[in-house]
Amino acid sequence: MARRRVLLYLKPFDVYPPRPLSGASSLTFPPPPPPPRAANPKILSYLDHRCRVHKDTINLCKSVLQRKPLDWISVQRNHLSNPIHDVDLVITVGGDGTLLRASHFLDSSIPILGVNSDPTCSDEVEELTEEFDARRSTGYLCAATARNFEQILDATLAGSRHYSELSRISVKLNGSQLPTYALNDILVSHPCPASVSRFSLRKRSNGETSCLINSRSSGLRVATATGSTAAMLSAGGFMMPISSRELQYMIREPISPTDADKPLLHGLVKQEQHMLVVWYNQEGAVYIDGSHVTYPIQHGDTLEISSDAPVLKVILPEYLLKQASL
C-alpha cells in the first residue's frame, strides 16, 4: 500500500514583532538603533511566549509526523503560490487565518486539518484584561491543538474522523472566473475606507430577476455559512448552520436608503441564485477572506457572486460537528 502524502502548511514567525539579539556585536559604528519596543514589559513577555508556543507546536507536529508511515513536507504559508496537488491531506499549523490561506490553493479533492498552534488561555485573558487584550488564536475551524494533534491525526488517517464539506463563494469578473474561492467572505468596496462605494445589485434565478438596488455605502459583504460567524455576525448578521449552501449578504453603512430598499439591504442568496453587482466608482476592489487576496475593479465592471464553487473538505472540531448534525 502506497504511503500517504501530507503537506504541513505553517504560519510564519515574521508575524510576531522582531526582537533585538541580546549581546550581539555590530560591525558598524555607531550601532544601529534598536527597533521600537512596547513600553509594557508584560506585552513583550506575552508576545515572546506566543512565538515560543507556536514554535513548540510546529516542532511537535513534525515529531508526530516523523513517527508515522507518511511522506510529508512542510512549507511556510508565504512561500506557497501555486495550487496544492499530489497530497492526500493538508495540515495547517497556526490559526483560522492560516487555514483560510491554505484553502485558496485547494480544490474539492484534498481534505484539510487545522491545528491551532496558540489557543487562547482564559486565565491569562482574565488576569490581563485591565492591561491589554490577551486573547490569542481563535481557531474556530481548527480541530486540533498540540494536546490532541496525534489523536486527531490518527483518527483522520484511520477514517474514523470524517471531513465535512463547506460551501465557498465563486466570483466572476466581467464573465471570467476569479481563481480564488472564498471560504469565509468577500468584501466589495472602495480601497479607501473613507470613500463611498457606489454600486447596484440584483439577484437572479432561473430567469427570474429581483428588483435593482442602487447603493451608496461602505461596500458589500457576502459571507458563507462558515463566515457568518465572523465579520458578518459582528455587523449585525446572523449565524447560519455550517452545512448551509446559502450565502448571506449585507450592504455596509448604507447612505440614506429608501424605505423600499431597507428590507433588501441584508438577506440571503439561495443556492440556485446568483447576485449581479455593477460597480460605479473609478476604482474598487474585491477582497477575498480578508486583505491578503485582492482583485481590482473599475467603473462599469460586473461581478457575478454565487455559491457555485468547489466545496472545501475540512476536518471540523467536535462542537461544529455537533452543530452540523442538528
Side-chain angles (χ1 to χ4, degrees):
M1 182 177 178
R3 289 162 63 95
R4 278 178 282 189
R5 300 155 298 177
V6 173
L7 175 66
L8 194 63
Y9 184 85
L10 308 175
K11 174 182 176 179
F13 292 101
D14 59 12
V15 298
Y16 299 96
R19 298 285 181 269
L21 298 175
S22 59
S25 61
S26 175
L27 299 179
T28 61
F29 185 85
R37 294 174 66 85
N40 188 340
K42 286 189 177 181
I43 295 179
L44 297 177
S45 175
Y46 162 79
L47 293 173
D48 285 335
H49 187 259
R50 290 199 64 177
C51 189
R52 289 197 304 272
V53 170
H54 177 57
K55 183 176 182 179
D56 289 346
T57 303
I58 289 175
N59 290 336
L60 179 142
C61 291
K62 289 181 176 180
S63 176
V64 169
L65 292 175
Q66 198 69 42
R67 299 195 303 266
K68 306 295 178 183
L70 301 168
D71 291 329
W72 64 277
I73 59 171
S74 65
V75 61
Q76 288 195 8
R77 72 185 187 193
N78 48 356
H79 294 163
L80 185 69
S81 58
N82 295 316
I84 298 172
H85 297 298
D86 302 323
V87 298
D88 302 297
L89 176 67
V90 172
I91 300 172
T92 64
V93 185
D96 289 327
T98 302
L99 192 148
L100 285 172
R101 293 278 289 276
S103 75
H104 297 159
F105 301 103
L106 290 170
D107 58 19
S108 60
S109 65
I110 302 171
I112 186 170
L113 166 64
V115 181
N116 186 352
S117 65
D118 185 30
T120 294
C121 175
S122 57
D123 290 342
E124 180 182 52
V125 173
E126 184 176 354
E127 176 188 348
L128 299 171
T129 186
E130 295 298 327
E131 299 188 53
F132 60 91
D133 183 359
R135 289 174 294 181
R136 300 189 178 211
S137 174
T138 302
Y140 176 73
L141 293 173
C142 296
T145 64
R147 291 184 177 182
N148 66 355
F149 169 64
E150 186 165 12
Q151 174 189 351
I152 299 296
L153 176 64
D154 287 344
T156 300
L157 296 175
S160 57
R161 190 69 179 256
H162 301 289
Y163 59 78
S164 301
E165 295 185 344
L166 302 186
S167 183
R168 292 195 276 187
I169 302 174
S170 163
V171 182
K172 293 181 179 179
L173 173 57
N174 299 327
S176 297
Q177 179 72 55
L178 296 184
T180 308
Y181 300 104
L183 178 59
N184 255 10
D185 55 28
I186 67 167
L187 174 64
V188 184
S189 71
H190 194 283
C192 174
S195 294
V196 175
S197 296
R198 296 175 174 86
F199 57 90
S200 65
L201 67 85
R202 68 168 83 233
K203 292 185 284 185
R204 285 184 179 173
S205 173
N206 300 323
E208 297 183 1
T209 304
S210 70
C211 61
L212 184 71
I213 302 174
N214 294 303
S215 173
R216 295 186 177 194
S217 65
S218 295
L220 170 69
R221 187 179 300 279
V222 184
T224 62
T226 304
S228 69
T229 65
M232 181 64 73
L233 187 64
S234 299
F238 53 86
M239 189 181 300
M240 302 165 65
I242 198 165
S243 58
S244 174
R245 294 291 184 262
E246 297 178 340
L247 304 178
Q248 185 178 169
Y249 74 90
M250 180 181 291
I251 295 177
R252 305 165 71 231
E253 301 172 321
I255 299 174
S256 303
T258 66
D259 290 339
D261 282 347
K262 286 180 180 178
L264 306 175
L265 301 178
H266 176 213
L268 293 173
V269 180
K270 303 291 186 180
Q271 186 173 0
E272 68 277 5
Q273 293 178 321
H274 59 264
M275 175 179 283
L276 292 178
V277 178
V278 182
W279 186 252
Y280 294 123
N281 284 87
Q282 184 175 355
E283 57 181 329
V286 181
Y287 299 92
I288 307 287
D289 287 333
S291 61
H292 294 291
V293 180
T294 308
Y295 296 95
I297 55 177
Q298 58 188 2
H299 188 281
D301 281 347
T302 300
L303 301 172
E304 182 180 326
I305 303 168
S306 72
S307 60
D308 185 19
V311 298
L312 185 72
K313 295 178 178 178
V314 183
I315 313 298
L316 291 176
E318 287 288 350
Y319 68 93
L320 283 181
L321 287 175
K322 292 177 181 177
Q323 290 180 19
S325 64
L326 295 178

